[in-house]
Amino acid sequence: MRGRLWLGGNCGGGNRVMGMSIGVTGGAGYIGAHIVRLLERAGHAVVVIDDLSYGYATRAGHAELVQLDLADTAELPRLQAALDGCSAVVHVAGRKQVGESVERPAWYYQQNVGGMANLLLAMEAQGVGRLVFSSSAATYGEPSVGRVREDIDMKPINPYGESKLVGEWLARDAVRAWGLRAVNLRYFNVAGAGWDDLGDPAVLNLIPMVFQKLAAHRQPVIFGDDYPTEDGTCVRDYIHVLDIASAHMIALDYLDGDDRPFDAFNIGTGAGNSVRQVIEMIGEVTGLDVTPEIAPRRAGDPPVLIGEVERINRVFGWKADYDLRSIVDSSWRAWQASPDVGRR
Ligand code: UFG
């Protein structure tokens, strides 16, 4: 598996992109900072472009940090200058809250689609010809199949998912128009921490939301236990953030060496865990009482969303290394160890 070579920080002399600058948008955020750390450990110079709305400058490692809002067209000259000398961009920056996207659809399009459009304009102007784009399983909507393949009909059910899908189209169109090479990585449910100082600073997803309740000596909440699943709670494909980051390393390598100019891959484990199973695992790891309170269903939650990962396994030689216990365990350690984790 090629990508595993990068994890140890010794990518060897045969690595074609060794030593080039990589631009990472959102590199001061939760997922982006993991990618930056792996890139730096592999010997790359990194330029982080981040508006610091959710990120922390301290997470950007040794990278040059350019603070700007990608969606602000007035910033295009600075964005273009930031990409000078970059061989590729990993585009992680974006808004990612489903509920917020339903309330503020135009702003979501402005941020995610506008940001992507500005980035592509700047990349074209600078001749930066490779892109790894953070897409999402939210692009699939509510698929009727248990395990989702990359080639099913994309029918997102909220503006967040729509904005990611349009981002994929923009990348595809740039491939046709000026020769960009792009890979879209469709994340499933990202969680965990690769290092204690890089845990998720936001409390927007199941695991940090449960931690926050436990920290307040309150019961975790399950949004609906009457779904058509084995235990009645929603099933998701939880993927360790370090597995996500390693997939980006391989995607960069693939863009450098493969002839296909455009592709999309699921990044998941191929296995599902229910909300109840995740909460039980949190109980095992923390030793705390996690008896849940059952609340009504949350709007827009598909009962089951699991990624089919056969393609990424076959084409990249990538598969997830970490299981649910590692995800919960590393999240908990980061939550306890770092002052910014779970605080936004
Ligand atoms: N949930 C609870 N209690 C909580 C928090 C969440 O029961 O306190 C449930 C939700 O209802 C859902 C499941 O836990 O059934 C997972 O919810 P998350 O909010 O953690 O994640 P989502 O599946 O809604 O969405 C996440 C990301 C999206 C991404 C999607 C892809 O937030 O950006 O995964 O699968 F698109």
Side-chain angles (χ1 to χ4, degrees):
M1 214 176 348
R2 286 184 297 173
R4 287 301 178 271
L5 295 173
W6 300 60
L7 283 170
N10 176 10
C11 56
N15 194 317
R16 285 179 296 270
V17 291
M18 175 80 177
M20 292 173 168
S21 279
I22 309 286
V24 182
T25 72
Y30 166 50
I31 298 170
H34 281 85
I35 297 168
V36 169
R37 194 162 290 181
L38 289 194
L39 284 167
E40 290 197 326
R41 288 189 170 200
H44 295 283
V46 178
V47 178
V48 165
I49 298 156
D50 199 300
D51 67 0
L52 298 184
S53 58
Y54 278 93
Y56 291 87
T58 49
R59 291 181 174 220
H62 302 291
E64 179 192 345
L65 173 63
V66 179
Q67 186 179 352
L68 61 79
D69 176 1
L70 278 180
D72 182 354
T73 306
E75 294 278 33
L76 257 175
R78 280 184 71 221
L79 177 57
Q80 209 173 301
L83 295 180
D84 188 19
C86 286
S87 60
V89 171
V90 179
H91 180 33
V92 186
R95 307 291 157 194
K96 62 165 188 175
Q97 294 176 53
V98 170
E100 186 181 50
S101 81
V102 174
E103 283 159 25
R104 303 180 68 192
W107 186 68
Y108 257 70
Y109 273 78
Q110 186 192 54
Q111 287 288 302
N112 288 357
V113 177
M116 178 76 161
N118 284 341
L119 177 65
L120 289 170
L121 284 170
M123 288 176 69
E124 183 181 4
Q126 281 292 10
V128 182
R130 293 184 300 145
L131 173 71
V132 181
F133 174 52
S134 298
S135 187
S136 170
T139 54
Y140 293 122
E142 293 195 45
S144 51
V145 292
R147 208 176 266 132
V148 190
R149 285 168 50 108
E150 288 88 347
D151 57 1
I152 70 162
D153 270 356
M154 317 287 286
K155 291 182 188 154
I157 55 167
N158 51 60
Y160 165 66
E162 288 164 2
S163 71
K164 286 291 178 183
L165 183 55
V166 176
E168 290 197 14
W169 293 343
L170 274 173
R172 178 202 61 198
D173 294 343
V175 167
R176 289 187 191 137
W178 57 269
L180 176 73
R181 300 162 63 75
V183 165
N184 303 307
L185 298 179
R186 296 178 186 150
Y187 303 175
F188 281 72
N189 287 57
V190 188
W195 294 271
D196 287 351
D197 58 328
L198 295 188
D200 191 348
V203 184
L204 300 170
N205 295 111
L206 176 61
I207 294 173
M209 283 168 81
V210 172
F211 288 170
Q212 193 179 52
K213 291 283 187 198
L214 296 177
H217 305 288
R218 292 169 60 192
Q219 287 174 271
V221 178
I222 293 181
F223 297 135
D225 67 350
D226 57 351
Y227 284 95
T229 61
E230 208 162 302
D231 67 16
T233 68
C234 289
V235 171
R236 295 286 181 278
D237 186 342
Y238 293 91
I239 171 90
H240 197 296
V241 65
L242 209 44
D243 279 326
I244 291 270
S246 77
H248 288 72
M249 306 297 282
I250 302 172
L252 282 168
D253 202 17
Y254 166 86
L255 277 173
D256 201 48
D258 196 273
D259 285 344
R260 274 166 290 198
F262 180 76
D263 220 330
F265 298 95
N266 289 335
I267 327 184
T269 65
N273 283 104
S274 71
V275 174
R276 226 183 253 288
Q277 286 173 321
V278 173
I279 293 177
E280 276 164 16
M281 181 61 78
I282 292 174
E284 278 181 37
V285 165
T286 64
L288 298 171
D289 176 10
V290 291
T291 310
E293 172 192 327
I294 308 300
R297 289 183 178 196
R298 196 175 66 172
D301 280 339
V304 179
L305 200 55
I306 303 171
E308 173 57 67
V309 289
E310 182 275 328
R311 269 204 84 235
I312 190 165
N313 187 221
R314 177 167 40 83
V315 180
F316 280 8
W318 176 95
K319 71 173 180 48
D321 276 341
Y322 298 97
D323 61 8
L324 183 64
R325 182 177 292 277
S326 322
I327 289 173
V328 171
D329 190 56
S330 61
S331 304
W332 182 236
R333 271 191 285 112
W335 178 276
Q336 292 174 301
S338 174
D340 63 8
V341 171
R343 307 303 184 270
R344 275 201 171 164

